[in-house]
Amino acid sequence: MTTDSSTHQQQYARLADPFGAVVGQVTDWDAASPCAGWSARDVLGHVVQTQREFLGSHDVDLGDAPDLADPAAAWRQHDRDVRSALADDAVGEREFDGYFGRTTVGETLTTFYGFDLRVHRWDLAQAAGRDERFTDDELGALETSVEGFGDQLYAEGICKPGVTAPEGADRQQRLLARLGRSS
């Protein structure tokens, strides 16, 4: 476990900044995303809601949820709220027994919810008609997460079953195929 909560805030920022950059590029929030039945607005709403629920379940009060009528503004508000919460040493280092063992709020926010920030960044970019490339480090982190999640990754409401990657697929295309996404 990390012992410096400012590191949690920095790790979160490294995930949230690229996500926020893509949020800023979306112009049609009703556009379909790669997540079956979800618009770009739904994807953003999912990210905001799940983070807020997780933090709330660990006694972190972020205040009222932002209104998704203006999704980009809602993201900016939520992002400020999370960063502000992680500035408190007690929040990032709050321990609990998680699904994979003893962990902290900060670690879970940057690993489990970081997975969502990366993958749904790609989903939002696709909804906006943009290409989004993961760095080698991001691909490594996502691949590690996929391996760690095992079959739970394909449970109802998480990722649909993997698809066959196209012939000659690059590393990102192969990863996305494992997540049930075609690129």
Side-chain angles (χ1 to χ4, degrees):
M1 283 186 278
T2 305
T3 59
D4 179 5
S5 67
S6 66
T7 301
H8 295 305
Q9 188 182 42
Q10 292 166 350
Q11 289 172 339
Y12 174 80
R14 282 193 291 274
L15 297 162
D17 288 347
F19 184 86
V22 171
V23 166
Q25 297 170 354
V26 177
T27 57
D28 180 2
W29 286 97
D30 296 320
S33 81
C35 302
W38 281 11
S39 67
R41 182 185 319 270
D42 296 328
V43 171
L44 181 70
H46 163 76
V47 169
V48 169
Q49 176 186 355
T50 57
Q51 286 185 11
R52 293 180 86 80
E53 286 174 354
F54 165 71
L55 290 167
S57 72
H58 293 282
D59 299 322
V60 179
D61 182 8
L62 296 181
D64 293 334
D67 185 349
L68 288 173
D70 181 346
W75 169 254
R76 288 189 302 270
Q77 179 61 52
H78 172 73
D79 185 39
R80 280 191 303 268
D81 293 344
V82 173
R83 289 178 197 231
S84 177
L86 288 174
D88 179 352
D89 292 345
V91 171
E93 291 304 314
R94 191 167 296 154
E95 291 188 16
F96 70 100
D97 291 319
Y99 186 78
F100 297 104
R102 195 87 179 140
T103 188
T104 66
V105 167
E107 287 290 327
T108 301
L109 193 60
T110 59
T111 55
F112 183 79
Y113 293 94
F115 176 85
D116 258 13
L117 284 171
R118 288 182 177 112
V119 173
H120 288 315
R121 182 180 92 213
W122 184 86
D123 293 332
L124 285 176
Q126 292 297 293
R130 299 175 139 343
D131 185 33
E132 182 69 13
R133 300 296 301 176
F134 297 121
T135 66
D136 285 339
D137 286 345
E138 289 174 320
L139 286 167
L142 288 167
E143 289 162 345
T144 297
S145 292
V146 167
E147 290 302 319
F149 295 153
D151 289 339
Q152 285 299 110
L153 180 63
Y154 306 110
E156 182 67 31
I158 302 177
C159 284
K160 63 184 179 181
V163 297
T164 302
E167 177 111 11
D170 66 18
R171 184 178 177 196
Q172 178 165 315
Q173 290 171 312
R174 290 189 307 273
L175 172 69
L176 291 168
R178 289 180 72 186
L179 301 175
R181 289 158 168 84
S182 301
S183 57

